Amino acid sequence: MTQVVRQTTRDLRRHNRAALLSSLYLRGPVSRLELVAESGLSAATVTNVVSELIADGVVAEAGSVESDGGRPRTLLAVRPGFGQVVGVDVSETHVEVGLFDWALGTLATVRHPLVGTRLDPDEVAGLVRTGIAEVLAGGDPDAVFGVGIGVPGAVRDGGIVHAPTLGWSGVNFADLIHPHIQAPLHLDNRARTLGQAETWRGAGRGAERAIVALLGVGVGAAVATAGRSHPGITTSEWGHTVVKAAGAACRCGSHGCLEAYVGVEAVVRRYAALAGKEPVIGDESDVELARIVAEAQRGGPAADVLAETGEYLGIGIANLINLLSPDRVVLSGSAGAIMGPAILPAVRDAVGRHALGYLAERTEVVLGRLGPEAVALGAATLPIAELLANGGRTG
C-alpha cells in the first residue's frame, strides 16, 4: 500500500512539472503568479517546480514587469542553451534541415534539391542524413535531444510513410534514418508539423481554433484547437477538395481540386500557358513563383494568374470556415510566404463572398510569420513536445 501511494505522489509531481513547463514554454515569458492562476496549483507547488526547472537548467529568470501596487514580478522563460533539436522538412522538391535551440531559435539550415533522386526513399533518406550531419558539423551531438521529420503523407506505426505525392506506399522511412543518428527520431505529416509551429510560435498563437494552410507544391490544412497545455492538432486532405466541377486535372487523379489551382506548380503552369512560355517547375518553382509575384505588379498574365489563385484559395478557405468555424486562418508554407502578401486582399474578398456572413465576420485571415523554414521548424517541435510531456527530463 505504501508503494502505491509513493508512486502516485511521484506521478503527480511529474504531471505538475510537465503541465507548468508546457504552459511556460507555449505562453512565456510568464511570472510565477500567472502560472498559479493558469494551472490552478498552489503557489507553493509552483514555486517548488519552478525552482527544480531552474536548477536543471531548463528555464531561467528573464527580467521583470511592473505589478499593480506591489513589487515587480519576475518573468520566467525557457533557457535556449538547455539543448538543441533538429527539424527536417521532406517536401516534393527538396529536403531542408534546420538546427534549433531549446527555444526554437535557428542555429543553422541547409537545403538539398531532390532533382536526380527519382524520389527514391533510400536516396531521399541519404539527403536527410547528409543534411543532419551538415547542421551538426562542429557541434556537440550529445546536446541534441531529438530529430523531427515532416513528410508529405501519413505516418503510421512509428515511421511507416504513405506519401502518394512521392510515390511511397508503406515505406519504413524511420529505419532508413534512425540507425545513423544518436538522438530519438520522430516523424509526422508536414501539415501537422507546420500547424504546430504556427500555433506555438507564429500567427496561430492565441487562437481558440486556428486553421493553418500549408501552401507549397502540395496543399494541406491543419486544424489547431486550444488546449490547457498543448493545442490539439488534426490534419485534412484539404488540397483535394473540389472547388470546380470538371476542372483542371490534379495529380491525385481527380479534377477541379484546390491543389490544381493554388499549388505552386499549378500556379507556375497556368502562368506559363498564358504567357506562352515553358513552365519552370521542380526545385526552381519557388524561384519562378517569386518572379511571377514581382511581375504581377505590372499587370498582364502574372497579375491575372495571381487574381485567379486568390479567388480559388478564398473559395477553399470559405469552405473550411463554413465547416469548422475557426477564429483564424493562417496562410503559411513556402508558397504562402512568397505569394501570400500579394494575394491576401483577393483571398479575403473571396472569403467574404463565399463564406456565411456571420462566420466570416468572426474569422480573420492572416499571413504566417515563420517564413520558408516553417515546416522544418514545425518538425523540430515534435521532439520538443515529447520533452515537454516528460517535464523537461531527457533521461
Side-chain angles (χ1 to χ4, degrees):
M1 184 67 176
T2 303
Q3 178 62 35
V4 173
V5 172
R6 185 161 53 245
Q7 184 64 41
T8 302
T9 301
R10 186 183 302 116
D11 288 345
L12 181 60
R13 290 179 61 186
R14 184 184 300 114
H15 170 79
N16 290 342
R17 178 172 168 129
L20 289 173
L21 179 58
S22 295
S23 181
L24 193 156
Y25 191 95
L26 298 177
R27 295 166 178 80
V30 295
S31 68
R32 291 171 176 82
L33 188 62
E34 289 171 309
L35 289 176
V36 170
E38 181 171 306
S39 67
L41 298 173
S42 70
T45 297
V46 170
T47 296
N48 289 337
V49 171
V50 167
S51 295
E52 286 182 5
L53 292 171
I54 291 175
D56 291 344
V58 182
V59 305
E61 294 184 345
S64 62
V65 293
E66 295 296 327
S67 60
D68 297 332
R71 293 184 303 173
R73 289 177 293 159
T74 300
L75 295 177
L76 303 164
V78 294
R79 192 174 70 83
F82 173 64
Q84 298 173 355
V85 62
V86 173
V88 181
D89 172 22
V90 177
S91 80
E92 294 89 340
T93 59
H94 67 268
V95 166
E96 183 167 13
V97 182
L99 178 65
F100 306 91
D101 62 31
W102 165 229
L104 288 175
T106 303
L107 302 176
T109 60
V110 296
R111 178 180 171 124
H112 292 284
L114 293 182
V115 176
T117 64
R118 306 182 308 281
L119 301 181
D120 176 75
D122 289 297
E123 294 185 52
V124 174
L127 290 181
V128 171
R129 297 193 300 266
T130 296
I132 292 173
E134 288 172 338
V135 297
L136 294 179
D140 179 9
D142 294 332
V144 177
F145 54 75
V147 174
I149 301 178
V151 295
V155 180
R156 300 286 185 267
D157 303 321
I160 307 298
V161 178
H162 301 270
T165 58
L166 298 179
W168 297 0
S169 178
V171 172
N172 196 334
F173 199 62
D175 276 1
L176 299 177
I177 304 295
H178 194 266
H180 303 272
I181 62 174
Q182 299 180 26
L185 180 66
H186 309 260
L187 275 78
D188 210 332
N189 174 267
R190 293 178 76 234
R192 187 177 184 279
T193 67
L194 177 65
Q196 190 152 276
E198 287 286 3
T199 51
W200 281 22
R201 289 291 187 266
R205 191 174 186 181
E208 286 299 312
R209 179 178 294 167
I211 294 176
V212 180
L214 169 59
L215 304 176
V217 175
V219 175
V223 182
T225 305
R228 190 174 182 89
S229 56
H230 295 287
I233 298 179
T234 58
T235 59
S236 70
E237 290 289 353
W238 175 53
H240 299 292
T241 57
V242 175
V243 293
K244 185 175 182 179
C250 181
R251 57 183 177 165
C252 73
S254 184
H255 288 77
C257 294
L258 179 64
E259 185 175 298
Y261 291 94
V262 306
V264 58
E265 289 191 356
V267 175
V268 169
R269 289 182 189 277
R270 289 207 318 282
Y271 165 77
L274 286 177
K277 300 179 179 180
E278 285 295 317
V280 179
I281 57 174
D283 191 54
E284 296 299 316
S285 57
D286 281 354
V287 175
E288 178 68 358
L289 181 62
R291 196 191 67 75
I292 292 170
V293 170
E295 183 180 317
Q297 298 178 16
R298 300 189 296 273
D304 293 341
V305 166
L306 289 188
E308 183 184 49
T309 302
E311 177 72 14
Y312 280 113
L313 182 55
I315 292 172
I317 290 172
N319 290 336
L320 288 176
I321 291 173
N322 289 341
L323 284 169
L324 301 172
S325 186
D327 52 315
R328 193 174 306 160
V329 177
V330 180
L331 308 184
S332 192
S334 59
I338 295 168
M339 67 179 176
I343 66 173
L344 185 60
V347 171
R348 286 172 171 167
D349 179 69
V351 167
R353 287 183 284 107
H354 294 286
L356 292 173
Y358 75 97
L359 294 176
E361 288 174 359
R362 64 177 299 275
T363 305
E364 57 177 345
V365 181
V366 301
L367 300 176
R369 298 176 184 168
L370 301 179
E373 67 181 30
V375 177
L377 180 71
T381 68
L382 299 177
I384 287 179
E386 180 171 286
L387 191 62
L388 293 176
N390 293 332
R393 299 189 188 280
T394 57

